[in-house]
């Protein structure tokens, strides 16, 4: 008996479930390339590491740059004070020369010694300034040449005055013209250039902190974005390496910000305090010495020196304003000393205006401690001491932060970069 096996017909394939309207099929996640999770971990880990390292290196650059700028402020301030000192010495020499000229024949020994000492000090200051740097070298060479002309004219004025020749006053006036129209304006231009350098360097000092803050904010934004991406892909809220890198950037912000901010604050206080006071007091020194020359020329001209008296009043007013303003921070008694000398000058003018020219000259050249020369010497010495003290304070206040701080910040950045990269290694190993 034969058995016939009947095979069942093959079942038809199951149709795909119909696509429901309003739903999107789940996109296939790439398994290779930077868009894949392993590739993304490598890419964003590298980004986090580079950003963290760059933050530390930029912090090092900001610290180094600020230290150089602070040094530039200190050097430019010292150069500026040196220029003012050279100018002041030459103006003081002119004041001594014109006052000595009032005495016919051989001038007083003390005034001659004051003139010689001031000229020598001014020439020495010019030589030191020329040797300290190339800035303003041409101007300083020009001043040195004009100084030779000035001293030659003064020597001729003295020689004629000793012999009683009236032409001596013409030589003296020509010498003072060289000083006021050639030497002093050139030095003032160099002073203005140094003031601009001080301001420019100070701007660099102040800009270091905002620059670091901007870099840190950008770095933190990148690190947070990477942390969010990693959390979504790996289903882990925090990654230890990224957290450590973020902490390193925050430490850079705190340490670097406090260091740079402190240096900027000190530089600003020095600029607005002792620096401004020193510049104002030094300017007042030049003004009062120029006023003393004007006092002498008023008497030398014997009744035709009204213009010199006007210059005297203008110089004294400017000096008083400088000393009562910024200069008062160095020595509040300077205004009183100035007023005492001006009161003595008014006594001189009273005698001259009443026709007692000899009496006026006697007061200007008197050895009396209460007379004009002694009062002027007291004022001049006080101004010099104040300028010296202010210069020392400026140099002390304009100190830079330790270079080790910058290298510490760079090390933090590099260390944080290593932690950011290695912190994602475990996640990458999961996809091998």
């Amino acid at each position: 008996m034969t058995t016939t096996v009947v095979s069942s017909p093959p079942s038809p394939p199951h149709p795909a479930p119909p696509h429901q309207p309003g739903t999107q099929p789940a996109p296939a996640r790439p398994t290779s390339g930077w868009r894949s999770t392993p590739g993304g971990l490598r890419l964003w880990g590298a980004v986090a590491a580079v950003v963290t390292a760059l933050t530390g290196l930029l912090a090092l650059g900001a610290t180094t740059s600020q230290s150089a700028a602070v040094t530039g402020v200190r050097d430019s301030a010292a150069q500026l004070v040196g220029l003012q000192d050279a100018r002041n010495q030459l103006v003081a020499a002119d004041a001594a020369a014109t006052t000595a000229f009032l005495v016919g024949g051989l001038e007083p020994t003390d005034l001659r010694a004051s003139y010689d000492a001031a000229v020598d000090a001014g020439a020495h200051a010019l030589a030191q300034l020329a040797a300290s740097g190339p800035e303003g070298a041409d101007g300083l060479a020009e001043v040195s040449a004009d100084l030779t002309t000035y001293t030659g004219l003064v020597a001729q004025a003295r020689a004629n005055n000793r012999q009683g020749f009236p032409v001596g006053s013409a030589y003296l006036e020509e010498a003072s013209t060289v000083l006021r129209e050639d030497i002093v304006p050139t030095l003032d231009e160099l002073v203005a250039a140094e003031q601009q350098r001080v301001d420019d360097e100070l701007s660099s000092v102040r800009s270091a902190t905002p620059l670091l803050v901007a870099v840190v904010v950008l770095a933190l934004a990148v690190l947070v974005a990477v942390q969010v991406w990693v959390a979504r892909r790996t289903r882990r809220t925090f990654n230890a390496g990224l957290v450590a890198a973020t902490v390193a950037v925050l430490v850079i912000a705190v340490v670097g910000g406090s260091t740079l901010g402190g240096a900027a604050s000190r530089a600003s206080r020095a600029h607005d305090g002792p620096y401004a006071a020193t510049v104002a007091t030094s300017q007042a020194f030049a003004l009062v010495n120029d006023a003393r020359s004007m006092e002498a020329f008023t008497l030398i001209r014997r009744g035709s020196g009204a213009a010199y008296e006007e210059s005297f009043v203008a110089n004294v007013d400017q000096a008083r304003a400088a000393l009562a303003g910024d200069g008062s921070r160095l020595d509040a008694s300077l205004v009183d000393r100035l007023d005492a000398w001006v009161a003595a000058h008014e006594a001189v003018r009273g005698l001259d205006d009443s026709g007692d020219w000899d009496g006026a000259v006697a007061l200007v050249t008197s050895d009396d401690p209460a007379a004009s020369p002694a009062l002027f010497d007291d004022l001049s010495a006080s101004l010099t001491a104040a300028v010296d003290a202010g210069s020392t304070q400026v140099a002390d206040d304009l100190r830079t932060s330790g270079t080790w701080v910058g290298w510490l910040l760079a090390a933090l950045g590099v260390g944080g970069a290593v932690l950011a990269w290695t912190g994602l290694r475990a996640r990458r190993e999961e996809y091998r």
Side-chain angles (χ1 to χ4, degrees):
M1 178 176 179
T2 304
T3 303
T4 303
V5 179
V6 179
S7 61
S8 61
S11 60
H14 296 285
H19 174 65
Q20 298 296 326
T23 63
Q24 297 292 334
R29 179 167 291 177
T31 58
S32 63
W34 68 270
R35 297 181 62 186
S36 66
T37 298
L41 288 172
R42 284 190 295 271
L43 173 65
W44 296 116
V47 169
V50 169
V51 167
T52 306
L54 282 178
T55 301
L57 294 176
L58 288 174
L60 170 62
T63 305
T64 304
S65 176
Q66 189 193 62
S67 296
V70 171
T71 301
V73 173
R74 186 177 62 244
D75 293 344
S76 294
Q79 187 83 348
L80 185 149
V81 173
L83 287 166
Q84 287 187 315
D85 179 60
R87 179 196 61 191
N88 294 347
Q89 293 293 345
L90 298 180
V91 174
D94 190 65
T98 52
T99 303
F101 199 82
L102 289 170
V103 181
L106 190 63
E107 64 268 29
T109 304
D110 57 339
L111 289 175
R112 174 63 184 265
S114 296
Y115 168 83
D116 291 338
V119 168
D120 290 343
H124 181 66
L126 291 174
Q128 283 188 318
L129 291 169
S132 63
E135 295 84 358
D138 293 339
L140 291 172
E142 181 181 342
V143 170
S144 296
D146 290 334
L147 179 58
T148 301
T149 302
Y150 169 80
T151 54
L153 290 169
V154 170
Q156 289 180 301
R158 282 174 166 174
N160 283 277
N161 189 47
R162 283 196 295 268
Q163 300 178 55
F165 296 155
V167 72
S169 62
Y171 279 115
L172 184 64
E173 196 162 359
E174 185 178 355
S176 289
T177 299
V178 171
L179 180 73
R180 285 169 180 77
E181 295 185 0
D182 297 330
I183 295 177
V184 170
T186 301
L187 290 175
D188 284 343
E189 289 177 3
L190 295 175
V191 167
E194 289 299 334
Q195 286 179 319
Q196 185 61 50
R197 289 191 187 93
V198 169
D199 293 340
D200 292 343
E201 295 288 359
L202 184 62
S203 297
S204 298
V205 172
R206 291 170 172 168
S207 64
T209 304
L211 175 62
L212 178 62
V213 170
V215 169
V216 167
V217 169
L218 179 61
L220 289 175
V222 171
L223 291 174
V224 169
V226 173
Q227 180 69 69
V228 170
W229 185 90
V230 171
R232 289 177 176 176
R233 285 299 181 96
T234 63
R235 298 296 188 269
R236 290 174 174 84
T237 305
F238 294 107
N239 179 270
L242 292 176
V243 171
T246 304
V247 171
V249 171
L250 289 174
V251 173
I252 290 174
V254 173
V255 175
S258 61
T259 300
L260 297 178
S265 178
R266 288 193 302 272
S268 295
R269 287 197 303 269
H271 179 272
D272 299 337
Y275 167 78
T278 302
V279 171
T281 304
S282 181
Q283 183 67 27
F285 183 96
L287 289 167
V288 297
N289 276 278
D290 192 46
R292 192 188 190 195
S293 296
M294 297 299 101
E295 178 184 59
F297 272 117
T298 303
L299 294 173
I300 291 172
R301 297 300 294 267
R302 289 185 177 237
S304 59
Y308 291 109
E309 177 61 18
E310 291 176 2
S311 296
F312 176 94
V313 173
N315 286 341
V316 166
D317 288 344
Q318 293 179 46
R320 182 180 289 108
L323 296 177
D326 291 326
S328 62
R329 291 198 290 266
L330 294 180
D331 187 347
S333 69
L334 293 174
V335 175
D336 294 334
R337 298 174 191 272
L338 173 62
D339 290 339
W341 175 63
V342 172
H345 167 78
E346 291 174 353
V348 171
R349 293 305 322 139
L351 290 174
D352 187 36
D353 292 340
S354 64
D356 187 2
W357 183 85
D358 291 330
V361 171
L363 277 182
V364 171
T365 58
S366 173
D367 294 333
D368 189 338
S372 177
L375 294 174
F376 180 84
D377 289 343
D378 176 63
L379 171 62
S380 180
S382 298
L383 288 169
T384 301
V387 170
D388 291 342
S391 300
T392 301
Q393 187 176 353
V394 170
D396 291 341
D397 290 349
L398 290 174
R399 61 183 184 276
T400 59
S401 57
T403 55
W404 63 270
V405 175
W407 289 107
L408 173 62
L409 300 180
L412 283 171
V414 173
V418 172
L419 292 174
W421 177 255
T422 57
L424 294 177
R425 178 182 299 170
R427 304 286 77 78
R428 293 194 300 269
E429 295 292 335
E430 294 174 357
Y431 292 88
R432 288 185 179 274

